[in-house]
Amino acid sequence: MGTRKKVHAFVRVKPTDEFAHEMIRYGDDKRSINIHLKKDIRRGVVNNQQTDWSFKLDGVLHDASQDLVYETVAKDVVSQALNGYNGTIMCYGQTGAGKTYTMTGATENYKHRGILPRALQQVFRMIEERPTHAITVRVSYLEIYNESLFDLLSTLPYVGPSVTPMTIVENPQGVFIKGLSVHLTSQEEDAFSLLFEGETNRIIASHTMNKNSSRSHCIFTIYLEAHSRTLSEEKYITSKINLVDLAGSERLGKSGSEGQVLKEATYINKSLSFLEQAIIALGDQKRDHIPFRQCKLTHALKDSLGGNCNMVLVTNIYGEAAQLEETLSSLRFASRMKLVTTEPAINEKYDAERMVKNLEKELALLKQELAIHDSLTNRTFVTYEPMDEIQIAEINSQVRRYLEGTLDEIDIINLRQIKEVFNQFRVVLSQQEQEVESTLRRKYTFIDRNDFAAISAIQKAGLVDVDGHLVGEPERQNFGLGVTPSSTKPGKKAKSKKTFKEPLSSLARKEGASSPVNGKDLDYVSTSKTQLVPSSKDGDVKDMLSRDRETSSIEPLPSDSPKEELRPIRPDTPPSKPVAFEEFKNERGSEINRIFKENKSILNERRKRASETTQRINAIKREIDVTKEALDFQKSLREKQGEYENKGLMIIDEEEFLLILKLKDLKKQYRSEYQDLRDLRAEIQYCQHLVDQCRHRLLMEFDIWYNESFVIPEDMQMALKPGGSIRPGMVPVNRIVSLGEDDQDKFSQLQQRVLPEGPDSISFYNAKVKTEQKHNYLKTMMGLQQAHRK
């Protein structure tokens, strides 16, 4: 087990022009914050009102950048997660204090991204630095809105709607959400796409404190699983990082919320109150019961609050005098959180397949050691390998001779031989039982008592004795009759403990000389589900049985009437625009769609080459800077040691000369690559022009085809044919937007501007643009459908 440690609590102050310097002051250690409140003179001279509070936390982040916040708060938690420790980072505070900005950040700007995207980036960077392990990353995004659970990634096409509502389930491994989709991500860009997809599905509303206020609690979870690439290592570690963005607490009297916002605020304050009660209970060492089940938020975070994980709380406060009451409430919550202790431990599991392989290897070594021991004790004839067919046949022969009495005893060599002897006893017994049963089936016909058609046929044949019972029926068991030919198939076999009398005893006497059938064999044969009765009317009974079975198996056949399928030439309601657009691209617009795709692929290829060239230019530029620094250092060193001249020429050492040559070559490469980049940008501009033309032509042709095929009344179709009064293209068309394709141009410009400053931002912006294109396309299609309904 791990050692117990306190929860880390930090305070981040939102920048404001009206900061209350007289009321809020920071300690010199950058870990304490002091609140001073003036006394209310309206209460009189004798006034016991508290005016000063002091809170000591793990850090106070004032005017701190997103980089500093992440380095201080989250970097260690994420790095330890790859070592098998669970982690939880939670943002708490009033509405508008900056919780979502701290956790998610501004997705439009790479530098202003928050803890969540930076954690994803750090995870994939650390995976690249660990080639000895195969690490898989999965993510999920949960929203708790008005005490209901929602999957923010359920809008993805491969997830599909959930039939049953999501529920919180507990098991020995921890707490998980049943019905919550978990997505495998192999690349940083895929993880960012899932993050942006979930962000667009969050519920926000306008508020007096924040025009884009989050009205729900959101939990983004990163699941990690690390397997060693060494085949002998059977242990592997798992961990998860919970990134919790709580909804903002607020005073209803101050905010003046109404309607749906008031209802949301009521649920938010209720769940945060239950969260505070759970934190107080966790901080009290004398408490045995922790009220986790009071609300969905505390229940979902049960194993993340005071569990076996590294936990960090970021309390966001507003530094204005008007918000001092909420600031005090948030700081009290942070001080209570610091009383909670956790016990981080590595989550180790065992790989069953690798354990089997290791056990097989250990078994082989033990066999070798046992063979050495046998050779030292003169037991070289003993083998521990699986027996072959010759050895099994020898044991079978010994067992048969032992049963016949020709062999007094079987020599025991090892445990494997003992098991095989018992196995051969079973084989011999089974063979004798089959011989007895086959002999009986050659002489008698077996009939199941549950076969009512056969019973009816026997009654009609008169096969009953003088007492009115069926012939050969002992104690109301099943029965059989007649001598069956060898071609008749045997009936069903079952077990019973009744024995036959006369037929079997006489058979045993007849077969006694050739078949070793004893009393036990007769008992076993009598356990059949059928019984044997001699019959004198074999032919009649068989005919009756066949007729009854044919009669009972006849069923009326339903008459099939041909159905005529009416295929209307034109559907009553026009198909949706997306479906019709796909059909148009495959049929009438296939050629222009092909040209559009070819031009787009050429454009993407040029853009890719331009991006690679830009990265090479940046790498060369960095190398030039490094070379210049080294050359300046050599020059300064030469000046300090003294310069030498020969015939007016400066004498330099070999190292400085090589640096000058290297710098010259690098500048030459830089100029060459930059010229290539200029040529590629010209090609990109030309290809973009062609793509825009093809896109415009494709959408225009689709609009003409759709209106003429589905919107124009049928009585006007004749006028549209060649020679008619209406020419194609004269039908009014609605304006169709570009389906988000223009975002690609914005991304290209952004890439050229931002990439030299932050080469790591390419995955972030790629995911952002793809998510915006998807939602722009869906928004456009919905707008077209609504316009068509009007």
Side-chain angles (χ1 to χ4, degrees), residues 66-165:
Q66 295 284 65
D67 291 335
L68 179 60
V69 170
Y70 184 77
E71 292 287 333
T72 306
V73 172
K75 188 175 182 179
D76 291 339
V77 175
V78 176
S79 61
Q80 292 187 29
L82 269 80
N83 296 326
Y85 293 94
N86 293 337
T88 300
I89 302 173
M90 182 185 300
C91 288
Y92 177 89
Q94 71 176 110
T95 300
K99 299 180 300 302
T100 303
Y101 180 76
T102 301
M103 180 58 66
T104 308
T107 56
E108 293 79 10
N109 194 320
Y110 179 72
K111 291 183 179 180
H112 296 166
R113 66 197 190 282
I115 293 176
L116 208 162
R118 291 174 187 269
L120 288 173
Q121 193 174 53
Q122 181 182 351
V123 166
F124 284 97
R125 291 293 181 271
M126 295 182 68
I127 290 175
E128 294 176 357
E129 297 172 358
R130 299 191 181 190
T132 58
H133 287 75
I135 304 176
T136 57
V137 182
R138 295 177 174 85
V139 299
S140 65
Y141 211 167
L142 173 68
E143 182 182 46
I144 305 176
Y145 174 70
N146 290 353
E147 281 301 293
S148 299
L149 304 177
F150 297 95
D151 185 4
L152 290 176
L153 301 179
S154 61
T155 55
L156 294 172
Y158 54 86
V159 175
S162 178
V163 179
T164 58

Side-chain angles (χ1 to χ4, degrees), residues 63-278:
D63 290 337
S65 63
Q66 295 284 65
D67 291 335
L68 179 60
V69 170
Y70 184 77
E71 292 287 333
T72 306
V73 172
K75 188 175 182 179
D76 291 339
V77 175
V78 176
S79 61
Q80 292 187 29
L82 269 80
N83 296 326
Y85 293 94
N86 293 337
T88 300
I89 302 173
M90 182 185 300
C91 288
Y92 177 89
Q94 71 176 110
T95 300
K99 299 180 300 302
T100 303
Y101 180 76
T102 301
M103 180 58 66
T104 308
T107 56
E108 293 79 10
N109 194 320
Y110 179 72
K111 291 183 179 180
H112 296 166
R113 66 197 190 282
I115 293 176
L116 208 162
R118 291 174 187 269
L120 288 173
Q121 193 174 53
Q122 181 182 351
V123 166
F124 284 97
R125 291 293 181 271
M126 295 182 68
I127 290 175
E128 294 176 357
E129 297 172 358
R130 299 191 181 190
T132 58
H133 287 75
I135 304 176
T136 57
V137 182
R138 295 177 174 85
V139 299
S140 65
Y141 211 167
L142 173 68
E143 182 182 46
I144 305 176
Y145 174 70
N146 290 353
E147 281 301 293
S148 299
L149 304 177
F150 297 95
D151 185 4
L152 290 176
L153 301 179
S154 61
T155 55
L156 294 172
Y158 54 86
V159 175
S162 178
V163 179
T164 58
M166 291 192 297
T167 55
I168 303 174
V169 181
E170 297 184 36
N171 59 14
Q173 286 73 32
V175 178
F176 71 97
I177 311 299
K178 185 178 181 181
L180 180 65
S181 61
V182 180
H183 305 263
L184 177 66
T185 58
S186 57
Q187 297 179 5
E188 182 180 338
E189 183 178 330
D190 298 338
F192 284 140
S193 297
L194 294 173
L195 169 62
F196 296 142
E197 179 72 21
E199 287 296 317
T200 56
N201 296 327
R202 289 185 62 172
I203 297 176
I204 60 175
S206 180
H207 193 271
T208 56
M209 303 295 296
N210 186 3
K211 64 178 182 180
N212 293 321
S213 175
S214 299
R215 312 309 295 165
S216 60
H217 310 296
C218 293
I219 305 173
F220 189 93
T221 307
I222 306 173
Y223 305 89
L224 302 174
E225 185 173 312
H227 292 261
S228 175
R229 297 188 187 274
T230 305
L231 295 179
S232 60
E233 183 63 38
E234 58 192 32
K235 291 183 180 179
Y236 69 96
I237 58 175
T238 61
S239 61
K240 65 178 180 178
I241 309 172
N242 288 321
L243 302 167
V244 186
D245 182 13
L246 299 174
S249 59
E250 58 186 70
R251 296 182 183 272
L252 301 182
K254 181 183 292 187
S255 61
S257 301
E258 297 179 353
Q260 182 66 22
V261 178
L262 175 61
K263 179 182 177 181
E264 294 168 351
T266 303
Y267 276 107
I268 292 170
N269 290 342
K270 183 179 178 182
S271 61
L272 292 177
S273 176
F274 289 143
L275 174 63
E276 189 167 1
Q277 292 178 20

Side-chain angles (χ1 to χ4, degrees), residues 436-494:
V436 172
E437 184 176 353
S438 62
T439 303
L440 295 175
R441 289 185 181 279
R442 285 196 300 270
K443 295 181 176 294
Y444 300 94
T445 300
F446 288 73
I447 300 175
D448 193 345
R449 185 179 181 85
N450 295 326
D451 193 346
F452 297 104
I455 295 174
S456 176
I458 293 171
Q459 290 176 350
K460 291 179 182 179
L463 297 179
V464 294
D465 57 10
V466 294
D467 297 328
H469 297 93
L470 293 174
V471 177
E473 179 188 6
E475 299 183 6
R476 297 185 179 277
Q477 297 295 317
N478 299 335
F479 56 89
L481 53 93
V483 179
T484 180
S486 58
S487 62
T488 306
K489 295 182 179 180
K492 187 181 293 185
K493 179 182 175 184

Side-chain angles (χ1 to χ4, degrees), residues 351-394:
D351 190 340
E353 184 178 354
R354 293 189 179 184
M355 286 182 65
V356 169
K357 291 182 179 179
N358 292 340
L359 290 174
E360 289 176 350
K361 186 183 296 184
E362 184 179 359
L363 181 61
L365 293 174
L366 292 175
K367 284 182 179 180
Q368 294 176 3
E369 185 176 351
L370 190 58
I372 295 174
H373 179 269
D374 290 337
S375 64
L376 294 176
T377 57
N378 294 324
R379 285 165 47 91
T380 56
F381 59 91
V382 179
T383 60
Y384 299 95
E385 297 296 329
M387 293 187 175
D388 54 17
E389 296 180 358
I390 298 176
Q391 292 173 332
I392 294 175
E394 177 63 26

Side-chain angles (χ1 to χ4, degrees), residues 25-34 55-57 60:
R25 295 180 181 180
Y26 308 119
D28 296 334
D29 57 355
K30 296 183 179 180
R31 292 189 176 185
S32 59
I33 182 170
N34 302 315
F55 302 93
K56 188 173 182 60
L57 305 170
V60 177

